Structures are given as C-alpha cells and as structure tokens.
C-alpha cells in the first residue's frame, strides 16, 4: 500500500465549474428528526412500478414493505416511520412528474427503530443478493438503478475490476464525502460484502483530490484490518474534474479500458458502485436495515445553513425545511433535486425525498441559464469538453432539423447528459435539452 498523492488519474475532456463544496462540508451532520408524515412514491426508479401492499387505515411498522412488484427489475419500498396509512394517491414526483404514492401519518408514541448487528451470518452470494433486493437498495448516486439487478452478473460475464465511486464530482454536493468521513469502517464492510459477492481480481476506491483526507482515512483502516481482501484494495486518486464520477470516465481513468458505445461496463469486466450504495449494502446485510434513511446535502447560494442532513426517505422537502429549520433567502429562483449540472428543477417544496436524492439546492438568478441561443460558431469547445468523445454540436443540429435517424448513428444514447457541452458553449446552445428531446423521440419510435 502507500498512497502517492501526486499520481492522479483522469479522463479526456470535462470541465472545471465552481465547486462550492466548502459551504456544506464544514458543518456538522444534522441528526435524524422524525417527520409527522411521509409520502412514499411507489416508483422511485426505472423499471416496473411497485403495487401497494397496504390500504388506507392500515398500521405500518418502520421498515415494513409497503409496495413491491413481481418483476425482477424493481425494488420494494418501505415505510420509514411507524404510523397509519392515510391515503394512496397520485402525488408530485421529482423525476417522473407524478407517481402513485403512499401517505403515512406518524405514530407519535413510537421513536425510530434501532438497528443492531444481526447474528444471522450471510452464508452465500444468493443471501447477499436477496438481502440487497429485499431491503430495496438502489444506486445512491442519483440514477437510482436497482442494485440487485446491477450485481446479478450473467453467466457469460465476470467482474475483473470493482470500482467504488467516491468521486462526487457534482458541484455543491458533499453527502458522499460526509458519509466517507463518518462511516469509513462501515463503507469498508459494505465493500467487503461486495467483494465476497463479485470476487473481482482488483478493487479500487476512487476519490477526487479535493477530498484528500479520505485517502488516508481509508488507507489507515485498511492497514489495520485482518481482512486480506480489504488490505488489497487500492485507493485511486482522481483529478478534480467534472464529470469524473461518470462510470465510463472512471473506468477509463483507472483502468484505461474503454466501454464501447452502446455497451455497459460489464462488457470490459468492470462494475462501478457508488460509495453510498456500499454503505447501504452494509446496513442491509449486517443490520437488516432497509433503505429508509439517507444523508442529503442542502446547499446553494441562497441557503444560510447549508450542510448535510440525515433524513427519512419519503419526508417532503417542505417538512424538512420546517423541521430542521433550514434558512434561506426567499428570493431563490430555482430548487434543484441533485446537483446543478445533472439535477432536476422542481416547481415547489411538496416534493418527497427519494432513496436516490443526493441533495437539494436553492439557487439564485446567477444559476439560471440564459437559453437565448445564437448560431453555432463551430468552435468545437463542446467536442473538447465531452468526456465520451461524442459530437454534441451535431446532436443539437440534427434535433433542430428533426433528422431523428441520424441521431442513433451519432450514439446519442451514450450521452450521459452531463451538461459539460452546454456549460462551455459560447453560443448558449442548450445542447442537453436537445439531447433529451432527441432521446425522447427515438424512444417513441421504438415503442
Ligand atoms: S454530449 Fe452528452 S456526454 Fe457529451 S458533454 Fe454533452 S451532455 Fe455530456
Ligand atoms: S460549443 Fe457551441 S458554438 Fe461551439 S461548436 Fe459546440 S455547439 Fe457550436
């Protein structure tokens, strides 16, 4: 072992936006508070929506499954509090626009459940996958893909290299950094479980160089453990650059392998998991705890008490603001779920925190992009910025001219909508909006 902090890895392209991470990472964690009600969307991810397993008037326990689907590509949802179901209706959803959701009013006689290490040993890979599925784990880094699906490796494939993504490259967000500081040991335990499951030849923890203390925190713990698997993990130091946390960028930076267009990392023997998901794996497998709480960053240039907050999934942003006393300038212009580059703007605060919500930002006029676009001047800045070697300028051009078939040949489906191209474009062309439109039209053609 021994970390050389001067050997930093990176990928071609990318941008350096203002990171603004200091405003939330310096503050202590705001501990869990119990909301009087929660609203749990039955769809929190792509794939088959869950069906409700409860009805109005039912009493539910904390951690009880309240919605699930028989489909493999789905993850159950759980109640994050003890209480009574008060309704099952369509409610606002930060990603989908609307989703059938279960509203639960809290039983004020009950406090939150304590989860302790269970005596039940996990004896097989099937046990690990079953717990990950049963406890509703999804990617915690934003996309919210089902963890058990990602970890179910087809028979003709194997994982050579497991990468734990602690890059957290989106500006403002520091929830992963916070989790790494607070729960280093538990994250390592989650990684150990993932190693047992996947049996990779090599495992890397990938961290950007703006979180230097974390290199040493992980290394010190790894040195002192009895587990050879953990001692063999390598820390990969990445240059701070956006979007360093993208799967394909991480794989290229760390292994030099390129995931072919239209393919997934498994194609080149790699699998990437977010560091927050590794922590959730520890909680599910060792504590039998479903994914019902998470740390989220509240930040933005309009927030007065930015920081990281431990919250119950299903709590609305409005209740969170009231309960935790979040103080902000009321002239904010935008609320973003996620980071400023890839996050989603929401119109009000009656929006539930999802399992995959990494942060909420309150932003001023400064962050409202002026989309009065002008002619493309063919400067190629967008091409240089694209981490995936795509041709962003061509996406915009073909969408405007409705040349849908050409978009497929340009690999528009590979675009991760990172926004680096729009960020650098001097003509203010909202390339990502064109990409979204193009992808949506192609999806309709394929139906
Ligand atoms: S084309 Fe897509 S992947 Fe490339 S910079 Fe633009 S948004 Fe990012
Ligand atoms: S950065 Fe903007 S102006 Fe320059 S080539 Fe790309 S789309 Fe055209």
């Amino acid at each position: 072992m021994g970390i050389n902090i001067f050997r930093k890895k990176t990928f071609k392209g990318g941008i350096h936006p203002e990171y603004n991470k200091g405003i939330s990472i310096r503050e202590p964690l705001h501990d869990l508070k119990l909301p009087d009600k929660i609203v749990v969307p039955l769809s929190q991810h792509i794939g088959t929506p869950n069906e409700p397993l409860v009805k109005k008037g039912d009493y539910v326990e904390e951690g009880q499954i309240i919605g699930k689907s028989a489909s493999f590509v789905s993850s159950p949802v759980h109640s994050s509090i003890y209480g009574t179901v008060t309704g099952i209706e369509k409610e606002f959803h930060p990603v989908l626009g609307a989703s059938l959701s279960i509203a639960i009013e809290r039983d004020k006689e009950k406090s939150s459940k304590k989860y302790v290490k269970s005596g039940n040993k996990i004896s097989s890979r099937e046990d690990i996958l079953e717990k990950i599925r049963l406890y509703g784990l999804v990617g915690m880094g934003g996309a919210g893909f089902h963890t058990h699906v990602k970890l179910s490796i087809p028979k003709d494939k194997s994982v050579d290299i497991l990468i734990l993504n602690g890059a957290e490259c989106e500006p403002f967000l520091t929830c992963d950094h916070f989790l790494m500081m607070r729960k280093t040991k538990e994250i390592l335990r989650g990684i150990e479980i993932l190693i047992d499951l996947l049996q990779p030849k090599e495992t890397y923890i990938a961290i950007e160089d703006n979180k230097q203390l974390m290199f040493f925190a992980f290394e010190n713990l790894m040195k002192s453990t009895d587990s050879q698997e953990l001692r063999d993990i390598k820390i990969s130091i990445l240059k701070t650059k956006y979007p360093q946390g993208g799967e394909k960028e991480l794989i290229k930076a760390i292994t030099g392998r390129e995931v072919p267009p239209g393919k997934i990392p498994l194609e080149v023997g790699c699998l990437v998991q977010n560091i927050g998901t590794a922590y959730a794996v520890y909680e599910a497998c060792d504590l039998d705890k479903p994914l019902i709480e998470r740390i989220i960053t509240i930040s933005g240039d309009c927030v007065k008490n930015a920081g990281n907050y431990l919250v119950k999934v299903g709590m609305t942003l409005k209740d969170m603001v009231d309960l935790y006393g979040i103080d902000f300038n009321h002239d904010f212009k935008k609320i973003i779920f996620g980071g400023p580059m890839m996050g989603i703007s929401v119109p009000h605060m009656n929006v539930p925190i999802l399992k995959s919500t990494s942060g909420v930002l309150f932003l001023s006029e400064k962050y409202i992009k002026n989309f009065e676009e002008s002619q493309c001047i063919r400067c190629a800045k967008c091409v240089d910025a694209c981490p995936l070697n795509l041709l962003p300028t061509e996406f915009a051009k073909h969408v405007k001219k409705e040349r849908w078939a050409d978009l497929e040949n340009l690999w528009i489906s590979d675009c991760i909508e990172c926004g680096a191209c729009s960020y650098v474009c001097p003509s203010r062309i909202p390339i990502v909006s064109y990409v979204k439109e193009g992808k949506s039209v192609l999806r309709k053609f394929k139906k």
Side-chain angles (χ1 to χ4, degrees):
M1 232 179 300
I3 296 174
N4 180 350
I5 57 165
F6 299 106
R7 283 190 53 205
K8 297 173 189 172
K9 297 178 176 169
T10 192
F11 61 97
K12 182 191 148 293
I15 55 171
H16 295 280
E18 277 177 39
Y19 284 100
N20 292 312
K21 288 182 183 268
I23 49 180
S24 57
I25 195 64
R26 285 188 215 109
E27 300 302 315
L29 182 73
H30 297 260
D31 288 332
L32 189 70
K33 292 184 195 277
L34 294 179
D36 286 348
K37 66 164 194 316
I38 54 169
V39 179
V40 182
L42 285 161
S43 291
Q44 298 211 17
H45 39 65
I46 56 170
T48 315
N50 290 309
E51 295 293 328
L53 296 186
V54 291
K55 57 184 186 319
K56 192 171 170 182
D58 283 357
Y59 187 84
V60 292
E61 307 259 325
E62 178 183 316
Q64 181 179 330
I65 296 182
I66 52 174
K68 75 177 206 184
S69 154
S71 159
F72 179 64
V73 187
S74 74
S75 302
V77 288
H78 305 72
S79 175
S80 57
I81 54 175
Y82 291 92
T84 305
V85 176
T86 55
I88 304 175
E89 286 172 26
K90 254 195 174 170
E91 301 281 357
F92 183 81
H93 187 289
V95 182
L96 305 172
S99 161
L100 198 61
S101 305
I102 300 177
I104 298 166
E105 204 171 277
R106 182 164 70 89
D107 175 352
K108 296 196 176 110
E109 303 291 307
K110 292 268 198 177
S111 52
S112 201
K113 208 173 185 171
K114 298 272 173 281
Y115 295 86
V116 288
K117 218 167 171 28
S118 70
N120 306 334
K121 267 224 155 288
I122 334 164
S123 53
S124 69
R125 294 183 193 184
E126 287 72 28
D127 281 355
I128 298 173
L129 277 178
E130 182 48 31
K131 285 201 176 195
I132 288 172
R133 182 172 185 194
L134 181 69
Y135 294 128
L137 269 57
V138 297
M140 308 275 286
F145 191 67
H146 313 280
T147 305
H148 69 277
V149 177
K150 195 166 178 181
L151 294 175
S152 299
I153 311 301
K155 287 212 163 53
D156 59 335
K157 298 271 186 287
S158 62
V159 177
D160 283 348
I161 298 181
L162 170 64
I163 299 173
L164 281 303
N165 183 0
E168 197 170 52
C169 61
E170 270 270 9
F172 285 107
L173 301 185
T174 56
C175 58
D176 284 352
H177 188 173
F178 219 94
L179 190 68
M180 287 192 280
M181 292 197 302
R182 280 291 188 102
K183 301 288 179 187
T184 325
K185 197 169 154 199
E186 291 81 357
I187 291 170
L188 274 180
R189 171 65 188 140
I191 297 172
E192 188 176 35
I193 296 169
L194 290 172
I195 293 173
D196 286 347
L197 176 69
L198 300 167
Q199 304 283 310
K201 293 191 185 106
E202 288 177 280
T203 301
Y204 292 85
I205 299 175
I207 306 173
E208 282 191 337
D209 61 358
N210 58 2
K211 303 180 245 314
Q212 289 209 4
L213 286 180
M214 294 323 307
F215 310 153
F216 303 108
F218 275 115
E219 190 188 49
N220 286 340
L221 262 182
M222 279 149 50
K223 268 189 203 156
S224 62
T225 168
D226 292 337
S227 159
Q228 189 60 45
E229 284 172 343
L230 293 183
R231 284 204 302 269
D232 286 345
I233 294 174
K234 299 179 181 76
I235 308 284
S236 194
I237 305 175
L238 307 165
K239 277 189 188 158
T240 298
K241 184 163 68 166
Y242 179 84
Q244 184 65 82
E247 288 195 341
K248 291 186 179 180
E249 292 75 46
L250 272 181
I251 292 166
K252 176 74 182 155
I254 294 170
T255 70
R257 297 180 190 180
E258 265 186 52
V259 181
K263 302 287 182 194
I264 58 169
L266 217 44
E267 199 64 33
V268 294
C270 296
L271 191 133
V272 181
Q273 279 293 343
N274 178 264
I275 216 90
T277 310
Y279 179 70
V281 167
Y282 151 75
E283 289 201 313
C285 292
D286 280 8
L287 308 184
D288 285 304
K289 181 175 178 181
L291 182 40
I292 53 170
E293 293 161 12
R294 66 159 299 151
I295 295 179
I296 72 168
T297 305
I298 298 285
S299 191
D301 60 335
C302 291
V303 180
K304 294 180 189 164
N305 50 349
N308 282 285
Y309 293 75
L310 181 60
V311 296
K312 291 280 187 188
V313 169
M315 175 180 211
T316 66
L317 177 59
K318 168 84 179 63
D319 288 346
M320 189 185 164
V321 162
D322 293 342
L323 190 60
Y324 288 81
I326 292 165
D327 195 9
F328 50 83
N329 298 329
H330 286 262
D331 56 354
F332 64 84
K333 290 286 183 285
K334 220 175 189 182
I335 307 173
I336 303 276
F337 263 54
M341 300 300 295
M342 293 182 75
I344 291 172
S345 172
V346 298
H348 51 70
M349 286 200 256
N350 280 323
V351 182
I353 304 298
L354 306 180
K355 298 177 195 179
S356 56
T357 306
S358 46
V360 180
L361 308 180
F362 291 83
L363 300 174
S364 73
E365 191 96 51
K366 183 177 160 196
Y367 291 90
I368 308 291
K369 292 197 183 92
N370 169 14
F371 282 145
E372 272 185 30
E373 62 175 282
S374 48
Q375 281 282 330
C376 172
I377 54 170
R378 307 200 66 76
C379 65
K381 284 191 176 164
C382 57
V383 180
D384 293 342
C386 182
L388 293 171
N389 293 320
L390 300 171
L391 297 172
T393 178
E394 294 296 304
F395 294 152
K397 194 168 92 190
H398 287 286
V399 170
K400 280 188 217 171
K401 295 194 173 166
E402 301 189 358
R403 289 195 210 127
W404 310 117
D406 293 338
L407 289 171
E408 289 220 68
N409 301 332
L410 290 164
W411 293 107
I412 194 171
S413 55
D414 259 31
C415 167
I416 54 169
E417 300 172 22
C418 69
C421 51
S422 309
Y423 183 87
V424 295
C425 177
S427 298
R428 317 285 299 168
I429 298 172
I431 302 169
V432 177
S433 305
Y434 287 118
V435 167
K436 286 185 176 165
E437 187 184 338
K439 282 186 182 174
S440 147
V441 172
L442 289 178
R443 266 197 301 273
K444 280 183 201 142
F445 283 156
K446 281 180 187 162
K447 271 185 187 168

